Amino acid sequence: MPLLPIAVAGILLAFAIGVIIYIVVNNKPAGPGPATAAGIPCDHLEQSTVHYHAAIQIIYDGTVHPIPANIGITGDPASPTCYYWLHVHAGNPNTIHIESPAKDTFTLGQFFAVWSTWSKANGDAAQPLDATHVSTFTLTPEQTLKVYIDLQDGKGPQPYTGDPNAIVLKSHEVISLVISPPDTPPPAFTFASGL
């Protein structure tokens, strides 16, 4: 019995099995990606069709409490795996980057939904915004939430009496969420150069 045809058949069979294993392993569906938050997905790249910035200040006990860096950016901040269209870069504290592939209207409520989704994905607590909660702060019966919007038009911070979740994010808008008492006027906010 000639051995050469058997050896060639064995090599071809081993090669075919190796190719099948390679295809199966490399074509596995990826696990679920980051959850969409309030209709906002997490994209692998930053978007640039729409790109502007708004700021948020949470003021409790008369002090501005900075929001965490990298909200809405998943993975290692040095090489992120994805960006929500509303996110915060570590180099721009309290500044929301609105970066979307299409012109759309985004709200403070959507930002808090992204923040909550991102926070829970990182093993932390939800970040609600309602009549009795602002992020991790729970208002006592003696406290109230006062909201101010500064459109950087020279008028300064103006009181806002509607639902803060409905505030539309605008370029260079400063939204201050003041838990009072004390009823501290919001401090001025300066956007970083280039924003």
Side-chain angles (χ1 to χ4, degrees):
M1 182 185 269
L3 293 178
L4 183 59
I6 294 173
V8 170
I11 292 171
L12 289 175
L13 181 62
F15 179 74
I17 291 171
V19 167
I20 290 169
I21 291 171
Y22 176 81
I23 289 170
V24 168
V25 167
N26 287 308
N27 286 327
K28 275 192 213 174
T36 296
I40 299 173
C42 197
D43 287 339
H44 292 289
L45 299 172
E46 289 183 278
Q47 300 296 323
S48 61
T49 302
V50 172
H51 186 180
Y52 59 96
H53 308 94
I56 181 171
Q57 300 185 108
I58 298 174
I59 303 162
Y60 180 79
D61 246 353
T63 303
V64 176
H65 291 266
I67 63 175
N70 301 314
I71 292 171
I73 301 173
T74 64
D76 179 1
S79 62
T81 55
C82 75
Y83 300 84
Y84 283 93
W85 296 346
L86 307 178
H87 58 266
V88 176
H89 289 283
N92 306 122
N94 293 348
T95 303
I96 303 168
H97 290 245
I98 298 98
E99 299 176 12
S100 166
K103 189 168 184 160
D104 205 347
T105 300
F106 298 101
T107 66
L108 185 61
Q110 287 176 298
F111 173 72
F112 268 83
V114 166
W115 186 0
S116 230
T117 300
W118 173 85
S119 185
K120 289 189 284 186
N122 286 304
D124 295 324
Q127 303 295 317
L129 176 60
D130 57 39
T132 58
H133 300 92
V134 177
S135 178
T136 58
F137 297 104
T138 300
L139 282 67
T140 66
E142 299 79 34
Q143 294 175 318
T144 57
L145 174 61
K146 296 189 177 186
V147 181
Y148 296 88
I149 298 176
D150 186 348
L151 296 174
Q152 305 286 298
D153 56 3
K155 296 178 183 174
Q158 300 296 305
Y160 176 85
T161 57
D163 178 2
N165 286 292
I167 296 172
V168 174
L169 300 176
K170 298 176 182 168
S171 181
H172 288 149
E173 172 184 48
V174 180
I175 302 165
S176 297
L177 305 171
V178 180
I179 299 169
S180 65
D183 191 3
T184 308
F189 183 89
T190 304
F191 285 90
S193 178
L195 298 183

